[in-house]
Amino acid sequence: MTSPRWAQPARWPGLARGLAHLVSRSLSCHADERQPLTHPASDAVRATINRHAVAITHALDDGRAGRLFTQQMLNTWQATLSRRPDGSMFVITGDIPAMWLRDSSAQMRPFVLLARDCPEIAATLADVVAQQWACIARAPYANAFNPEPNNASWHAGDLCDNPWVWEEKYEVDSLAFPIQFAWQVWQATGDAAVLVPVRAGARQVVQLWRREQRHDTDSDYRFVRPGTGDTLGEDGRGTPVGVTGMTWCGFRPSDDPCTYGYNIPAQFFAAHALRLLAQMAREAWDDAGFAAECDDLAAQISAGVAQWGFADDGTLAYEVDGLGHQLRMDDANMPSLLSLPLCSSLAADDPVYLTTRRWVLSQANPHYHLGVAASGVGSPHTPYDHIWPIALAVQGLTSTRTETKLRMVEVLMRTDAGTGMMHESFHADDPSRFTRPWFSWANSMFCELLLDVAGVRMDDLTGADLTRPDQTGGPDAAH
């Protein structure tokens, strides 16, 4: 991180390409108006997707559900994946030409469930894992990357001198997601070779998370974006935090800056990811020392959550600073408080989760919106009264009640504004008012929910059984 990108003449062509792409983004996007196909599906991939589409149609007694599953899965496979000249596999997020570590992991979640049925899908997922860890090696604090060192970026004022980096917003989840995704592919395929690219990078992640336990004294990270609300406080270093055992993060999963430096869903996810790493170290790498290091850091983070992460009513806070301040809210983006059963050891029937879930899905949460078309969780990242399809899908996936899952499917199917695609967000009263016409992460979460109601679930691909809830922390541990 040196001078702003706009002050580096060598970067001007890349900045121009990035700006041109953003300006040219379509205002509407229907299922038959896709981007050019960059990774055509083979007959084997199509047959695998179609088999599950038939099962979904039968489970819901609704042909449109099966058709939406097919077209959205094919859209993700054919239009967001691309094979680079060096053989690597790049995944764009949709209408932005960059690869987010978080988004690319989530975009592939439903394909993990299909990997056992199709060797080609399994091999492609392994290639995505390798690409993610190549990105982490290049810039471990970055959240989004270019397909080549072309200097393209979101904003010309960012402090970054790495031509591979689209954006360097440091988010704990951008490292936790690739860990969980690699573990999921390993478990789904039984092929430990998928973990080879993870091993060296895993040590780098653990070192970074340890460093950020003492952010104020040990970290050099800054984020400054002139003329925007994205610049972190204290001249880019972030507002002060206490030493708690938790690991600091600058930005939320929404890419918005944290109000307080310990995002609680991200802490849950980091502790969980560390325990997944510990299992990899023991079973795939025969490295008991590294496993113990991962378990130790996970325990420190979990203890910090237990001490600082709960509000007085026994629900989980969204952000804290370890100095006595808390932010009460939830955001649609994963990891969220609502999504904890998908990215931590906290079970969907755990009393802490259920208490917190009731709070999140109520008007006590400032980002829960009631509307004529739908009610659900939104985000300060998008306009007020906008609901995120990701949050609706998560609400269904984390419910223990079949009727809730089916209701979320029905809501999502009738709020796509007739486009056949899920969007970033839509207005609670008018789904035709939406943001981001092509947001692949939302499509994948909808497809995962469809698979869930058809009986194909992530239950054994979350890793929740590796940690008991009391290890992650609960209100009794601190209250």
Side-chain angles (χ1 to χ4, degrees):
M1 294 179 289
T2 54
S3 58
R5 295 179 187 237
W6 60 262
Q8 304 173 44
R11 308 198 62 136
W12 292 349
L15 295 174
R17 285 193 295 272
L19 178 62
H21 186 92
L22 293 175
V23 169
S24 68
R25 277 201 279 172
S26 172
L27 296 178
S28 65
C29 189
H30 290 259
D32 57 354
E33 296 175 355
R34 291 282 63 79
Q35 298 281 335
L37 301 187
T38 54
H39 186 245
S42 68
D43 289 345
V45 171
R46 286 179 177 274
T48 302
I49 292 172
N50 287 338
R51 281 197 301 274
H52 287 278
V54 170
I56 288 165
T57 296
H58 290 163
L60 292 167
D61 194 23
D62 189 330
R64 183 167 182 257
R67 292 192 297 274
L68 286 174
F69 176 80
T70 298
Q71 69 190 31
Q72 291 182 20
M73 290 287 282
L74 286 175
N75 174 262
T76 297
W77 186 267
Q78 298 191 125
T80 71
L81 289 164
S82 62
R83 182 74 66 181
R84 306 301 302 165
D86 63 0
S88 63
M89 184 63 71
F90 198 75
V91 189
I92 64 172
T93 186
D95 53 13
I96 303 175
M99 179 171 174
W100 264 255
L101 294 174
R102 171 187 54 250
D103 293 36
S104 58
S105 300
Q107 286 167 253
M108 296 296 106
R109 282 178 64 95
F111 290 98
V112 172
L113 292 168
L114 276 56
R116 290 167 175 157
D117 302 334
C118 181
E120 182 181 346
I121 291 176
T124 300
L125 296 180
D127 290 340
V128 174
V129 169
Q131 177 69 1
Q132 288 181 334
W133 287 90
C135 289
I136 291 169
R138 292 173 182 131
Y141 279 95
N143 59 319
F145 294 83
N146 296 312
E148 57 192 7
N150 60 14
N151 292 314
S153 68
W154 178 264
H155 193 281
D158 288 357
L159 297 177
C160 184
D161 57 5
N162 190 328
W164 286 97
V165 173
W166 172 267
E167 188 172 64
E168 195 175 38
K169 288 182 172 179
Y170 173 58
E171 301 154 351
V172 167
D173 67 273
S174 290
L175 298 174
F177 260 113
I179 293 170
Q180 185 191 49
F181 176 56
W183 183 90
Q184 288 171 330
V185 176
W186 173 41
Q187 295 296 303
T189 64
D191 184 5
V194 73
L195 303 181
V196 171
V198 181
R199 188 172 187 179
R203 292 188 178 276
Q204 188 177 25
V205 170
V206 171
Q207 291 168 1
L208 191 159
W209 282 348
R210 283 198 181 279
R211 182 186 316 127
E212 293 300 337
Q213 287 180 297
R214 298 179 179 272
H215 173 74
D216 288 349
T217 58
D218 293 0
S219 176
D220 295 328
Y221 177 80
R222 293 174 63 234
F223 190 89
V224 175
R225 181 170 283 177
T228 75
D230 285 342
T231 296
L232 298 179
E234 304 290 321
D235 193 31
R237 290 190 55 78
T239 54
V241 292
V243 177
T244 64
M246 293 184 286
T247 186
W248 178 89
C249 51
F251 292 85
R252 300 169 183 163
S254 62
D255 297 332
D256 294 329
C258 292
T259 299
Y260 303 120
Y262 299 125
N263 178 275
I264 295 302
Q267 303 304 314
F268 270 89
F269 201 4
H272 183 59
L274 285 162
R275 292 185 174 107
L276 299 181
L277 273 182
Q279 184 188 8
M280 297 179 205
R282 281 189 293 267
E283 298 182 13
W285 304 330
D286 192 23
D287 192 338
F290 184 56
E293 185 178 351
C294 292
D295 283 333
D296 176 66
L297 181 53
Q300 292 179 37
I301 293 171
S302 294
V305 171
Q307 182 174 359
W308 298 97
F310 287 84
D312 290 339
D313 62 1
T315 62
L316 288 162
Y318 186 70
E319 286 173 2
V320 302
D321 63 2
L323 299 171
H325 300 100
Q326 294 186 338
L327 178 63
R328 302 296 310 282
M329 60 168 276
D330 199 21
D331 188 288
N333 291 267
M334 289 172 60
S336 59
L337 297 174
L338 186 63
S339 72
L340 286 176
L342 304 180
C343 51
S344 81
S345 63
L346 202 62
D349 60 356
D350 185 284
V352 169
Y353 176 71
L354 291 174
T355 300
T356 301
R357 178 187 177 93
R358 284 191 292 270
W359 187 92
V360 168
L361 298 176
S362 76
Q363 290 184 281
N365 175 10
H367 302 293
Y368 184 80
H369 305 300
L370 298 174
V372 174
S375 298
V377 180
S379 171
H381 192 72
T382 47
Y384 189 74
D385 277 342
H386 276 57
I387 296 166
W388 283 50
I390 285 174
L392 295 173
V394 167
Q395 185 176 342
L397 286 165
T398 55
S399 177
T400 58
R401 303 177 62 181
T402 300
E403 55 266 36
T404 299
K405 296 176 184 291
L406 295 173
R407 179 164 55 87
M408 291 301 103
V409 168
E410 186 273 329
V411 171
L412 286 163
M413 288 176 61
R414 63 174 167 78
T415 54
D416 68 352
T419 66
M421 302 282 280
M422 300 296 113
H423 303 118
E424 179 187 54
S425 72
F426 62 87
H427 194 279
D429 292 329
D430 182 4
S432 69
R433 296 164 56 187
F434 58 81
T435 62
R436 292 195 65 180
W438 186 27
F439 188 41
S440 179
W441 180 6
N443 288 335
S444 288
M445 296 308 295
F446 173 61
C447 289
E448 184 179 342
L449 179 59
L450 290 174
L451 287 167
D452 185 284
V453 299
V456 181
R457 301 188 175 99
M458 279 282 194
D459 292 349
D460 61 343
L461 291 173
T462 298
D465 57 340
L466 296 180
T467 359
R468 298 188 309 274
D470 61 329
Q471 288 180 292
T472 310
D476 294 339
H479 296 270

